[in-house]
Amino acid sequence: MRINKFISLTGVCSRRETDRLITARRITINDRICEHGDTVELTDIVRIDGTQIKMKENDKKTYIVFNKPVGITCTAQPLVEGNIIKFINYPKRIFPVGRLEKASEGLILLTDDGDIVNKMMRSENNHEKEYIVTVDQPITDEFIDGMSNGVEILGTTTKLCHVSRINEDTFRIILTQGLNRQIRRMSKVFGYKVKRLQRVRIMNIEIGTLRAGEWRELSDSELHELLSSL
């Protein structure tokens, strides 16, 4: 985040006052004189007149990468059985970014940062989401070509996307759209039924070695790259 926002969140002074301190060369980041427009991560050491300042613990935003199992519903509604919030049971109030249907599994982000949610939802039809999909019959070249070049569903034609075969009945697809049950509907047009659908990447965030039901916090480098691309 920008140095002005970081310092304002510590409660030391306002963003405008931070600009004055930067001009006066009274702020350092990792022992380097701070300049206007500098950004910092939570691991950086920020000092004003030699005294280190830190963000208040309760002001730190939470960013979680979760490998959602099949059967978990992406909702914060407490009365919904199997809702994602109750499953994770995180000690702070968080909510999912976007959705991943109950029958699907894989990567979903959760946070208490409303700003990043709004930015990601506004750009939902631009950022990449990658899936591994298993279907009920052998994949043909015609299926790969058809899925890649746009499919008529829900009264529209899907955007061009990258589709590649992994093995006889499993393929990889990278979308820049978020239509309702998009991959399942696209596959059905060609006579295929999806047996397993797993999201493995959202933009620069990868599911990695997380097992179903496990979660981890977003790393500083992942968060920085994510925010830079929004």
Side-chain angles (χ1 to χ4, degrees):
M1 69 181 72
R2 285 185 172 272
I3 184 66
N4 305 64
K5 181 176 182 179
F6 175 85
I7 291 181
S8 70
L9 289 175
T10 67
V12 173
C13 63
S14 67
R15 299 188 188 195
R16 182 172 297 181
E17 179 61 23
T18 298
D19 283 334
R20 298 192 185 100
L21 294 174
I22 293 173
T23 300
R25 300 172 64 82
R26 294 170 58 186
I27 300 176
T28 60
I29 304 172
N30 299 328
D31 297 324
R32 175 185 61 80
I33 297 295
C34 176
E35 298 180 359
H36 290 284
D38 276 353
T39 59
V40 294
E41 298 182 2
L42 297 180
T43 53
D44 290 330
I45 298 175
V46 178
R47 291 188 172 93
I48 298 178
D49 295 333
T51 301
Q52 184 176 354
I53 60 171
K54 296 182 179 181
M55 187 181 296
K56 298 175 183 178
E57 194 66 30
N58 58 2
D59 284 332
K60 290 182 180 180
K61 296 298 182 181
T62 298
Y63 307 92
I64 285 177
V65 181
F66 177 52
N67 185 349
K68 186 192 87 67
V70 171
I72 298 300
T73 303
C74 293
T75 180
Q77 295 296 324
L79 297 181
V80 176
E81 185 176 353
N83 74 80
I84 192 171
I85 303 303
K86 185 176 181 180
F87 183 91
I88 294 177
N89 196 29
Y90 195 76
K92 290 175 64 179
R93 182 176 181 272
I94 56 175
F95 39 90
V97 183
R99 62 188 183 274
L100 188 60
E101 62 182 359
K102 186 175 181 179
S104 300
E105 60 188 289
L107 178 62
I108 188 162
L109 304 177
L110 298 99
T111 184
D112 57 356
D113 185 348
D115 288 342
I116 195 174
V117 173
N118 292 334
K119 289 178 180 178
M120 290 188 72
M121 297 306 288
R122 281 198 300 267
S123 64
E124 185 177 8
N125 288 339
N126 295 311
H127 63 246
E128 288 188 348
K129 290 168 286 186
E130 182 175 344
Y131 302 81
I132 304 297
V133 186
T134 300
V135 289
D136 63 342
Q137 55 186 296
I139 296 167
T140 64
D141 291 340
E142 290 75 18
F143 174 77
I144 297 293
D145 291 340
M147 293 282 284
S148 301
N149 290 308
V151 183
E152 294 283 342
I153 60 169
L154 299 173
T156 188
T157 302
T158 60
K159 291 184 177 181
L160 302 184
C161 61
H162 177 76
V163 183
S164 59
R165 183 187 286 105
I166 294 177
N167 57 40
E168 184 181 54
D169 62 356
T170 303
F171 65 94
R172 181 186 311 276
I173 182 169
I174 301 174
L175 300 179
T176 55
Q177 278 180 293
L179 300 178
N180 182 39
R181 296 173 61 86
Q182 181 170 346
I183 297 172
R184 296 181 190 273
R185 293 179 189 273
M186 291 171 67
S187 299
K188 186 177 180 180
V189 170
F190 299 96
Y192 288 78
K193 182 178 180 181
V194 171
K195 295 171 59 179
R196 184 188 182 198
L197 192 156
Q198 181 189 35
R199 184 159 62 193
V200 296
R201 178 172 65 88
I202 300 174
M203 301 171 73
N204 65 297
I205 312 302
E206 298 184 2
I207 199 166
T209 58
L210 275 182
R211 293 179 295 182
E214 291 184 339
W215 61 268
R216 64 173 176 82
E217 293 186 354
L218 210 61
S219 70
D220 288 337
S221 59
E222 286 175 322
L223 179 59
H224 180 75
E225 185 176 348
L226 178 64
L227 294 176
S228 298
S229 61
L230 294 176

